[in-house]
């Protein structure tokens, strides 16, 4: 089955840029969606179809996807961005949704 | 606005059964694919099952296939997950979620989740 690999944790200082990667074989051929989950809350989509932002999501959030790596980038990180982030794709080979293991973003 | 209200989970013995339901409102339920997703305590998200807008197509994670059944009643705007032969590793918060229009599309809305604990 298709596997998505994320770093368990990323730390960043306020105002800096955080990059969270999601690795999968030929992930660049799939559409990647990113979810933010704050502690004790349900997830919220922050990027869909690799790079699109839902209404209400700050422009500081951006995404890219190429080759074997998709990346969620958060520029000008704020304390409120501290959360778990999960990538997701549809694997048409198995007809399964697949989530990455998640990355805990810590704002120092 | 979109509202997803899930039935209460609870404590179930290994080998037991439980049915979760999710009542939807604020959108045309019959137009959208729905999913169940779970999250074991302190762990990541795990997709469980996915159902087409008509209920004619269903998909399951390998970990639950043959034990769980997803269904929907569009007349009642409700989604269901029948869970049989429950195991300790099924212990998790279960989320009901609605996808964007089309297939396969990202998740637009999640409910607040309900905890299912499988333990003797």
């Amino acid at each position: 089955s298709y596997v998505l690999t994320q770093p368990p944790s990323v730390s960043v200082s306020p105002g800096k840029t955080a990059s969270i990667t999601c690795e999968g074989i030929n992930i660049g051929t799939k559409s990647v969606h990113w979810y933010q989950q704050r502690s004790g809350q349900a997830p919220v989509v922050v990027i869909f179809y690799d790079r699109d932002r839902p209404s209400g999501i700050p422009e500081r959030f951006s995404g890219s996807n190429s080759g074997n790596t998709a990346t969620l980038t958060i520029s000008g990180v704020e304390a409120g961005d501290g959360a778990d982030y999960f990538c997701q794709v549809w694997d048409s080979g198995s007809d399964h949704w697949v989530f990455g293991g998640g990355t805990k973003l810590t704002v120092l | 606005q979109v509202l997803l209200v899930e039935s209460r989970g609870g404590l179930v013995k290994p080998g037991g059964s439980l049915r979760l339901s999710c009542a939807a409102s604020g959108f045309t339920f019959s137009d959208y694919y729905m999913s169940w997703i779970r999250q074991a305590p302190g762990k990541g998200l795990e997709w469980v099952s996915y159902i087409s807008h008509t209920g004619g197509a269903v998909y399951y994670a390998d970990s639950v296939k043959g034990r769980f059944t997803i269904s929907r009643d569009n007349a009642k705007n409700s989604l269901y997950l029948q869970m049989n032969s429950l195991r300790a590793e099924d212990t998790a918060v279960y989320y009901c979620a609605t996808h964007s229009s089309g297939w396969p599309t990202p998740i637009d809305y999640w409910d607040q989740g309900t905890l299912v604990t499988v333990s003797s």
Side-chain angles (χ1 to χ4, degrees):
Chain A
S1 58
Y2 195 74
V3 175
L4 295 175
T5 302
Q6 297 182 235
S9 63
V10 168
S11 297
V12 63
S13 298
K16 301 298 186 182
T17 296
S19 294
I20 299 173
T21 58
C22 176
E23 296 183 346
I25 296 173
N26 294 323
I27 195 174
T29 63
K30 302 179 184 300
S31 291
V32 179
H33 315 304
W34 289 93
Y35 301 89
Q36 175 194 68
Q37 186 181 33
R38 294 192 172 104
S39 181
Q41 298 184 20
V44 172
V45 63
V46 292
I47 292 289
F48 56 90
Y49 298 111
D50 298 340
R51 60 182 63 248
D52 292 340
R53 270 180 300 102
S55 59
I57 299 301
E59 290 183 14
R60 303 183 293 101
F61 288 79
S62 62
S64 63
N65 184 18
S66 179
N68 293 317
T69 304
T71 303
L72 171 69
T73 302
I74 310 170
S75 58
V77 167
E78 300 176 356
D81 297 332
D84 293 325
Y85 291 85
F86 298 90
C87 56
Q88 179 201 36
V89 301
W90 173 254
D91 177 33
S92 57
S94 61
D95 282 343
H96 281 30
W97 282 107
V98 180
F99 283 100
T103 298
K104 182 177 184 63
L105 178 67
T106 299
V107 182
L108 300 171
Chain B
Q1 79 279 20
V2 172
L3 190 60
L4 300 171
V5 179
E6 195 175 343
S7 59
R8 187 170 293 185
L11 176 63
V12 184
K13 287 182 167 50
S17 298
L18 187 67
R19 187 197 200 203
L20 299 179
S21 62
C22 175
S25 61
F27 65 106
T28 305
F29 180 72
S30 58
D31 284 350
Y32 295 90
Y33 281 63
M34 301 289 292
S35 274
W36 289 98
I37 290 134
R38 69 184 181 184
Q39 188 169 33
K43 302 297 184 182
L45 301 173
E46 180 188 15
W47 168 74
V48 173
S49 188
Y50 183 45
I51 187 168
S52 66
H53 59 298
T54 63
V58 295
Y59 308 86
Y60 297 98
D62 295 343
S63 58
V64 306
K65 195 169 186 177
R67 300 188 299 122
F68 289 13
T69 302
I70 190 172
S71 62
R72 65 191 296 161
D73 185 337
N74 286 343
K76 294 183 177 179
N77 290 341
S78 293
L79 176 72
Y80 306 100
L81 185 68
Q82 177 66 45
M83 303 185 290
N84 297 332
S85 302
L86 283 162
R87 307 167 179 166
E89 54 264 37
D90 294 319
T91 294
V93 172
Y94 284 73
Y95 293 100
C96 158
T98 181
H99 291 258
S100 303
S101 177
W103 173 91
T105 56
I107 293 169
D108 271 349
Y109 298 99
W110 304 64
D111 78 322
Q112 285 306 302
T114 191
L115 177 62
V116 174
T117 302
V118 184
S119 174
S120 55

